[in-house]
Amino acid sequence: MIELVGFDGDDTLWHSEGYYQSANAAFESILGEYVDLANLRLHDRLLATERHNLKLFGYGAKGMTLSMIESAIEMTASRISAADLHRIIEIGKQVLAHPVDLLPGIRAAVETVAAQHRVVLITKGDLFHQEQKVASSGLADLFHRIEIVSEKDDRAYRRVLGEFEVTPDRFAMVGNSLRSDIAPVVQLGGWGIYMPYHVTWAHETDTDFVDHASRVVQVEAPGGIAQALQELQSRAAA
C-alpha cells in the first residue's frame, strides 16, 4: 500500500508560472526596442540559453534573469543600454517578490491526504526563493519534511525515499509536470497523480514520457487528489 505521498510546490500548491510568463512578456517588450521580434525567434533562443545555463544557474528566477541578460546582450549585438539591463534585473526581482497565492482547495486536499499518509513537499529551484514561498504559503506545518532539490530526477527521488525508508512502490507523487513530477517516479516503480496547470514552461513539457495509465491518475483540480490516491491504493493492493 502507498505509505508516502509527495507534493510538488510551484503550480501544484501555489501559482508560479504565470509570473514567469509575465516576466517573459516584459523582456520581449524591452528587446522589441532594439530588434525585429518577428525574425528573432525570441522565445526559442531564450529557452535555449536557459537550458544551456541550468547546470550553472539552476532553476528559478535568478537563473532566468541571468539568462535574459545574456540573451539580451547577444541578440542586440551588445547594443542594449545599461539602463535596459537594469530593467531586466528589476523584472527578475519582481518575480522573486511575487505573492504566494495558493491554488483553490489545495490546503484542504493536502490535509485530507496527510490525515492518512506521511506527506513530503518536494520542490526544485533557488533555495532562498523556495524557502520564502514555503514559509509564505502557510502549508509548511502539514508536511513531515520539506525537500528543496536542484533537480527532480531518479537520484533525488531515491534519496528522499531512502531517508523515509520507503520503497518506490509505496510512494505516490502529486504534481503538474510529467517531466519532473511524474515520469521519474513512475520509472522507479512508484505512482503519479498528474494535475496539469493551465500554463507550463516549455522545458517541463519536453519529455518522451508516455502516460502509464495503470500507474498514473490525472485530476483537474485539488479536490480530486484524495479520490485519485484511493484509486492508486486499489491498484497497488491488486
Side-chain angles (χ1 to χ4, degrees):
M1 301 293 287
I2 295 171
E3 299 178 11
L4 179 67
V5 179
F7 283 84
D8 169 50
D10 293 343
D11 299 321
T12 297
L13 299 180
W14 49 73
H15 298 284
S16 176
E17 181 59 24
Y19 297 105
Y20 287 86
Q21 297 280 331
S22 296
N24 274 272
F27 175 68
E28 181 175 311
S29 177
I30 293 172
L31 266 290
E33 299 172 12
Y34 293 87
V35 296
D36 181 358
L37 295 178
N39 296 325
L40 193 62
R41 296 187 301 109
L42 176 64
H43 294 294
D44 291 342
R45 292 177 68 177
L46 177 58
L47 178 61
T49 300
E50 289 181 294
R51 282 176 166 163
H52 178 74
N53 287 335
L54 279 176
K55 290 185 178 180
L56 292 173
F57 302 149
Y59 293 90
K62 294 176 186 176
M64 175 201 70
T65 305
L66 290 170
S67 292
M68 283 181 170
I69 291 172
E70 179 181 345
S71 297
I73 293 170
E74 176 186 329
M75 292 185 216
T76 65
S78 300
R79 291 183 295 110
I80 190 166
S81 69
D84 283 333
L85 290 176
H86 187 263
R87 289 169 66 190
I88 294 173
I89 292 172
E90 288 301 314
I91 291 171
K93 287 183 176 180
Q94 290 170 12
V95 175
L96 287 169
H98 75 70
V100 178
D101 295 323
L102 299 182
L103 270 66
I106 193 62
R107 182 178 180 91
V110 177
E111 287 176 336
T112 300
V113 174
Q116 296 185 338
H117 304 272
R118 289 184 292 172
V119 291
V120 56
L121 170 56
I122 308 175
T123 186
K124 71 180 179 183
D126 177 77
L127 178 62
F128 289 168
H129 194 202
Q130 292 298 320
E131 286 181 335
Q132 180 269 322
K133 286 192 280 189
V134 171
S136 299
S137 73
L139 299 175
D141 61 300
L142 299 179
F143 294 97
H144 291 78
R145 183 176 297 179
I146 294 167
E147 295 282 346
I148 300 173
V149 299
S150 57
E151 183 62 271
K152 285 182 176 176
D153 52 20
D154 58 353
R155 181 178 179 182
Y157 285 111
R158 284 185 187 277
R159 179 182 61 77
V160 173
L161 294 177
E163 292 176 357
F164 276 93
E165 298 183 342
V166 171
T167 54
D169 61 307
R170 295 178 180 268
F171 174 64
M173 183 69 186
V174 182
N176 71 294
S177 169
L178 286 174
R179 182 182 188 275
S180 295
D181 301 320
I182 307 302
V185 172
V186 170
Q187 289 163 356
L188 284 175
W191 308 86
I193 298 177
Y194 175 47
M195 187 172 68
Y197 193 68
H198 66 278
V199 288
T200 304
W201 184 31
H203 179 71
E204 292 299 330
T205 64
D206 183 16
T207 176
D208 56 4
F209 177 75
V210 177
D211 184 13
H212 290 57
S214 63
R215 304 195 75 85
V216 179
V217 174
Q218 180 171 329
V219 299
E220 301 307 319
I225 293 174
Q227 183 176 350
L229 186 57
Q230 289 179 353
E231 171 61 27
L232 291 179
Q233 286 272 44
S234 298
R235 297 180 190 180

